[in-house]
Amino acid sequence: MKRWMALLLAMLMAMSLVACGQKEQTDGGDDGQQVYTLRLNTNMSENDKTNSAFGVALTNFKAECEEKSGGRLIIDIYMNSQLGKSTDELINGSQSGAFEMFNLVAANWGSYTNAFAPINIPYLFTDEEVLQKYLEGEQGDAIKAQVLQDTESRICFYGYLGFRQIVNNKHAISSPADLKGLKMRVLSDKYTVAAFETMGASPTNVSYSELYTASQQGLIDGSDGPYANILNSNLQDVQKYLTESRNAYTLGVMVINQRAYDALPDDLKAVFDEACANAEQAARGNAVYEEAALAELEKSMEVTHLTTAQLQAFKAAMAPVWKMAEEDLGADKWSAITTEIQRIETELGK
């Protein structure tokens, strides 16, 4: 019933947005060629566009599509989740034609597909380069195929946003027990929720665009996120303590509805695909933004850098979550995932 209501809402939204630039073929000028407009909904703010690799990648993607197509492929970007915030609104909105493209972090796809389950399991991935190699291989191909099958969404490129760190306004956190009793905003992924519950916190879901207000009004005690997102959301103004917990990786996922992609002529598909590949490479340069963000956050927040032993305590606390994931995925798939991660770690000398 929830999905049907969300779909109905999305269809109404689509009707209301007809005048705002639906994916249409219009006269392109003197040569009479058609112009294709793709509406892209993003939760990014203006700060994200300039202060994160994913934001820069998005800006470059738009510019490249429009320049290399000679103005025949327009990417119309709606910032701050203007066309939809929740997973239901985004997936159903793209399926109904309210818009064609959107981004959603891997941890928020769980109610429609478990394709991203390996990415969301706390402390399964502990190195960004390992994750990138994983997504380039057969396991990554399987993720793309499953997302397409389950949601009609074609993955365009990823945004490597960094490991998630814990912020709160109560006290410094240096062990899992320090989270007990805190009301924490977390992503909706079941393994993320289970992880914080295991540590004694009370998880709640708040959209990224409303995170500052929820913190300011005391609706939550804290949250977790990568350094750049913490800074770009100005959480340092409303949260006092930051812990370098590295509890999970934040993977941004930019997609296009498959029907919208299929509607593009072959020459524009080629332009689109090349722009996506270049955006993916640009989005991998996040380390410099993470370092700059941390340096800025340290000016106004009390930062706890966990020792190796302290980090190991957090990882050990995730044993029940790993067991749950293995039961969900099945022994064979769990073995294939962990074996591939170990192979890549060995290959890279991690």
Side-chain angles (χ1 to χ4, degrees), residues 312-330:
Q312 183 58 38
F314 276 89
K315 183 175 181 179
M318 296 302 103
V321 183
W322 282 33
K323 181 176 177 58
M324 179 176 73
E326 182 176 3
E327 291 174 351
D328 288 346
L329 298 172

Side-chain angles (χ1 to χ4, degrees), residues 191-208:
Y191 303 117
T192 302
V193 172
F196 279 86
E197 288 178 339
T198 296
M199 293 185 288
S202 176
T204 186
N205 187 252
V206 175
S207 68
Y208 177 68

Side-chain angles (χ1 to χ4, degrees), residues 87-97 99-104 108-109 112-113 115-116 140-158 253-262 272:
T87 302
D88 287 338
E89 291 172 341
L90 294 174
I91 292 179
N92 291 319
S94 69
Q95 290 175 347
S96 70
F99 46 85
E100 291 70 47
M101 298 183 68
F102 65 90
N103 71 279
L104 184 67
N108 277 343
W109 290 79
Y112 285 83
T113 179
F116 294 111
D141 292 340
I143 288 174
K144 290 183 177 180
Q146 186 176 349
V147 171
L148 180 59
Q149 177 179 326
D150 293 343
T151 70
E152 301 177 21
S153 300
R154 178 189 183 94
I155 294 177
C156 301
F157 57 92
Y158 292 116
V253 187
M254 183 66 70
V255 302
I256 183 172
N257 179 269
Q258 182 64 41
R259 283 178 285 111
Y261 178 82
D262 290 340
F272 183 89

Side-chain angles (χ1 to χ4, degrees), residues 169-198:
N169 208 23
K170 293 295 186 180
H171 53 250
I173 292 173
S174 59
S175 71
D178 293 332
L179 282 155
K180 186 175 182 179
L182 295 186
K183 188 173 183 180
M184 298 291 294
R185 177 269 186 180
V186 302
L187 298 174
S188 59
D189 173 71
K190 63 186 293 185
Y191 303 117
T192 302
V193 172
F196 279 86
E197 288 178 339
T198 296

Side-chain angles (χ1 to χ4, degrees), residues 10 30 39 55 136 139 143 162 227 251 259 262 279 289 291 293 321:
D30 294 339
R39 291 160 298 178
E136 290 172 358
Q139 293 288 339
I143 288 174
Y227 291 130
L251 182 69
R259 283 178 285 111
D262 290 340
Y289 296 98
E291 293 170 4
V321 183

